[in-house]
């Protein structure tokens, strides 16, 4: 039987989602806890691979098990075994061929910026004191929707078959004195969101005009885009799927 786990985690202590040979990962901690619950090795497949230090308010993973789970008991036991910075929010049975990564229709991220020093947000956002032109940043963000090839925002030496992504949302909003960038797409490249935010900040600081976004994207050259912003301000917030659950 195949089950989906809905999870959340604070990424500061982890070298990203995916298992690493010499560093602790979120996937490793979840698999370790699952293996204790079932008393044999359990492997999971995640919806994506967040980088070191990136957080997730919602991410899914699937795994296979031979017996039907008692949801509440399982959820309580797994959460008691997981570290405090990883939480199981839900578990549900899905169709046998449902896939946490390949079946995902869209993914959404947020990037959080604070412009006043706040010790309680130090590990959760990027502190920038210089004034930003949010209007220019939003006009430049809107340009992203006109393109599909985002090689200029992809980490170099990444082994991917295509650099094409369809961005459906890209907008800056102020929420409780935090400047939040919302972006949604069918898929994302490695480091893509942090590179986009870095480029938009250059425009917001007046270092580049809004129209430069066209030339940067067309260039397909990572060196033309802005510097990647720190991981600590980035959150995976939502992953959507077609109807895959077994009711």
């Amino acid at each position: 039987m195949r089950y989906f786990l809905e999870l959340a985690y604070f990424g500061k202590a982890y070298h990203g989602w995916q298992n690493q040979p010499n560093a602790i990962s979120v996937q490793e901690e979840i698999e370790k806890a699952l293996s204790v619950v079932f008393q044999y090795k359990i492997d999971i497949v995640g919806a994506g691979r967040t980088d070191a230090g990136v957080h997730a308010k919602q991410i899914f993973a699937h795994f296979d098990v031979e017996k039907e789970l008692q949801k509440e008991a399982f959820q309580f036991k797994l959460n008691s075994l997981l570290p405090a910075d990883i939480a199981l929010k839900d578990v549900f049975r899905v169709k046998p061929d449902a896939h946490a990564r390949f079946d995902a229709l869209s993914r959404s991220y947020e990037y959080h910026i604070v412009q006043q020093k706040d010790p309680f947000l130090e590990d959760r956002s990027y502190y920038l004191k210089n004034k930003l032109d949010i209007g220019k940043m939003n006009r430049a963000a809107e340009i992203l929707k006109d393109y599909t090839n985002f090689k200029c925002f992809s980490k170099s030496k990444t082994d991917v078959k295509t650099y094409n992504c369809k961005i459906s949302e890209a907008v800056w909003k102020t929420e409780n004195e935090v400047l939040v960038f919302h972006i949604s797409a069918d898929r994302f490249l490695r480091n893509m969101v942090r590179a986009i935010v870095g480029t938009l900040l250059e425009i917001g600081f007046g270092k580049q005009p809004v129209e430069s976004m066209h030339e940067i994207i067309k260039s397909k050259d990572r060196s033309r885009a802005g510097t990647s912003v720190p991981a600590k301000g980035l959150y995976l917030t939502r992953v959507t799927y077609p109807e895959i659950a077994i009711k």
Side-chain angles (χ1 to χ4, degrees), residues 10 24 27 38 41 46 59 88 117 136-137 140 173 180 210 216 226 234:
F10 184 63
I24 188 170
Q27 181 182 4
F38 294 105
K41 191 176 186 304
I59 190 171
L88 174 63
K117 189 174 181 180
K136 286 183 178 179
M137 290 161 64
K173 299 177 182 178
V180 182
V210 171
I216 291 167
L234 185 59

Side-chain angles (χ1 to χ4, degrees), residues 99-112:
H99 198 286
R101 182 181 174 192
F102 297 134
D103 286 351
L105 299 174
S106 69
R107 297 165 175 84
S108 299
Y109 283 88
E110 292 176 2
Y111 195 85
H112 292 201

Side-chain angles (χ1 to χ4, degrees), residues 44 50 147 232:
I44 62 174
T50 56
Y147 295 89
K232 63 182 181 178

Side-chain angles (χ1 to χ4, degrees), residues 152-153 195-196 198-199 202 208 216 219 221-227:
C152 67
F153 299 125
I196 288 174
T199 306
E202 288 193 356
Q208 299 214 52
I216 291 167
S219 75
D221 183 353
R222 178 65 186 90
S223 67
R224 294 283 301 274
T227 303

Side-chain angles (χ1 to χ4, degrees), residues 13-26 28-29 52:
Y14 302 101
H15 201 76
W17 165 269
Q18 190 177 18
N19 285 334
Q20 306 284 332
N22 299 306
I24 188 170
S25 70
V26 178
E28 176 188 345
E29 289 296 319

Side-chain angles (χ1 to χ4, degrees), residues 67-153:
K67 61 181 181 179
E68 188 170 353
L69 300 182
Q70 300 300 314
K71 180 176 176 175
E72 289 186 8
F74 170 79
Q75 191 165 347
F76 177 82
K77 188 166 186 179
L78 191 66
N79 271 325
S80 69
L81 291 165
L82 288 170
D85 48 13
I86 303 175
L88 174 63
K89 298 169 70 177
D90 196 9
V91 58
F92 51 94
R93 191 177 165 194
V94 295
K95 297 170 184 176
D97 60 348
H99 198 286
R101 182 181 174 192
F102 297 134
D103 286 351
L105 299 174
S106 69
R107 297 165 175 84
S108 299
Y109 283 88
E110 292 176 2
Y111 195 85
H112 292 201
I113 290 174
V114 290
Q115 299 220 262
Q116 288 188 333
K117 189 174 181 180
D118 187 335
F120 301 106
L121 296 176
E122 166 59 28
D123 292 331
R124 294 167 170 79
S125 60
Y126 184 28
Y127 169 51
L128 291 172
K129 62 180 180 179
N130 294 341
K131 187 173 176 58
L132 291 162
D133 190 324
I134 310 305
K136 286 183 178 179
M137 290 161 64
N138 269 329
R139 292 200 297 276
E142 193 68 19
I143 292 170
L144 294 166
K145 298 179 188 176
D146 297 334
Y147 295 89
T148 54
N149 187 307
F150 294 106
K151 186 176 181 180
C152 67
F153 299 125

Side-chain angles (χ1 to χ4, degrees), residues 4 10 23 45 59 72 176 182:
F4 263 40
F10 184 63
V45 177
I59 190 171
E72 289 186 8
N176 299 320
H182 297 263

